[in-house]
Amino acid sequence: MTSNVPQPLPTRTLGTTGPQVSALGLGTMGMSALYGESDRAESIATIHAALDAGITLLDTGDFYGMGHNELLISEALRTASPGAREKALTSVKFGALRDPDGGWSGYDGRRAAVKNFVAYSLQRLGTDHIDIYRIARVDPDVPIEETVGAIADLVQAGHVRHIGMSEVGAETLRRAASVAPIADLQIEYSLISRGIEPEILPTARELGIGITAYGVLSRGLISGHFTSDRKLAPNDFRGMSPRFQGENLQHNLDLVEQLRKIAEQKGVSVAQIAIAWVLARGEDIVPLVGARRRDRLSEALGALGVGLDAADLEAIERAVPADAAAGARYPEAQMAHLDSEH
C-alpha cells in the first residue's frame, strides 16, 4: 500500500530563524549503530534515494558508531549527484562521551569541548560548515547558556549555520533562546510519545522554534512491520527498551492493530498513517524517518500523500489515545539524562 508522493516534495521552515527543509528528514543513526548489523552499500543507496526524491535534511550524531555515521554521510554526499549534494543540509548532535567498548560515559557541554567536537565532525563530514548543530543531551555540570554560547561562537565564525536543541524541557529551551536564536528542538514525538504536547511544544511555538520529531515510528514499534516473535540482535537497542519487553510489547502491538484498521480503510500502510499523523500536528514539525533501506524510505515518503481529515484524526485518537503506550521510551538510566522528562 502506497500513496502518491508529491513532486516536488513539500517544504517546511525550522522555526522563525532556521532553514527551509524538506517536510520529511532522514535520520541515519540506524545505518551505523543501535539496531543491529547494517548494510553499508544499501545505506548509501538509501541516502542517495532520499536526496534524489527531494529530502534535504540529513540528521546524524558524531557518536553514532563513534564517527562511522558521519563518514558514511560524507561518502554518500561525495558520490551523490551534484544537484542533490548542493541542497543537502546536515543536522549534527554532539556531546555524548563513548568508550572503546561502545559504552556511554555521560555528556560534555563545555565551551572547549564544543569546539573540539565540531572540529572532528567537520573533518569526518568533509565540509566547511554544519547546518544545524546541537548537544544531544544537556550536560548537567555545564549551564546550557555556556554550551549555546559556544555554538553561537561557531555560527559567528562560519563553522555552523544554525543552533538546535535536543531533548530539553521548556525552561531549558527558554534559557537557550535567551542566548542566541534557536532554529529547532529535536525531540521524540509520535502517536505513542506525546509528552511534548502539554508544555514543551507550546513553549517552542511561543519562541518561534521548530520541531524535528524523531522516533515517529517509535523505533519500528508502530511501523506495522514489527512482530512479537521477532528476534533482535544482541547489539539492538530495542532489546533493552521497556516498550519492547514482554507484556508491554504485546500491549503496544495491540494498539498497532487498531491503527492498522484505520490505515486499511484509507488504503495506506500503518507506517504511512503514523507519519502522516505527525505531519498533521503542525507546519512547524518536521518528522525524521529512520529508514535504513530504500523500500522503507519509499513507504515513508508515501506519507506525504496521505491526507487526514478531522474524522480520521478522531478515529486515530480513539485507536491510540495519548498515554496509551506501555513502558517508558528509554531504559531508566537513559531517562535520567533527558532534561525533557524532568
Side-chain angles (χ1 to χ4, degrees), residues 119-266:
Y120 281 84
S121 284
L122 291 169
Q123 179 67 24
R124 283 188 293 257
L125 288 167
T127 183
D128 62 358
H129 74 275
I130 291 167
D131 293 287
I132 313 164
Y133 203 49
R134 69 188 87 238
I135 191 165
R137 301 287 186 268
V138 174
D139 181 344
D141 298 323
V142 177
I144 195 64
E145 289 87 350
E146 178 180 333
T147 303
V148 172
I151 307 175
D153 289 345
L154 296 174
V155 173
Q156 189 69 28
H159 303 305
V160 168
R161 296 280 169 83
H162 302 279
I163 305 171
M165 298 299 292
S166 174
E167 284 290 355
V168 300
E171 180 186 351
T172 303
L173 194 59
R174 288 188 188 280
R175 288 169 55 195
S178 73
V179 177
I182 306 297
D184 70 319
L185 167 62
Q186 187 174 122
I187 197 162
E188 187 168 357
Y189 189 41
S190 74
L191 267 169
I192 62 171
S193 296
R194 296 174 62 176
I196 73 171
E197 291 180 348
E199 188 177 7
I200 296 173
L201 181 56
T203 300
R205 286 175 167 162
E206 175 194 334
L207 298 171
I209 296 171
I211 299 289
T212 41
Y214 77 88
V216 293
L217 297 179
S218 199
R219 298 165 182 81
L221 181 57
I222 59 171
S223 66
H225 302 299
F226 203 92
T227 58
S228 58
D229 60 352
R230 180 168 172 179
K231 302 299 181 185
L232 297 173
N235 59 344
D236 192 318
F237 160 83
R238 293 170 292 189
M240 299 179 294
S241 173
R243 289 185 174 173
F244 288 82
Q245 306 300 313
E247 293 180 359
N248 286 353
L249 176 60
Q250 191 54 58
H251 171 89
N252 294 329
L253 290 178
D254 288 344
L255 295 175
V256 174
E257 290 312 305
Q258 295 304 309
L259 189 61
R260 192 185 304 277
K261 295 175 184 177
I262 302 169
E264 288 177 349
Q265 289 173 358
K266 291 190 68 68

Side-chain angles (χ1 to χ4, degrees), residues 1 4 8 20 44 52 58-59 80 101 108 127 130-131 160-162 170 178 187 190 198 212 242 250 272 320 337 340:
M1 291 179 284
N4 294 326
Q20 186 179 73
I44 290 175
D52 290 342
L58 302 178
D59 184 77
D101 296 321
D108 193 343
T127 183
I130 291 167
D131 293 287
V160 168
R161 296 280 169 83
H162 302 279
S178 73
I187 197 162
S190 74
T212 41
Q250 191 54 58
Q272 287 169 341
V320 188
H337 291 293
S340 54

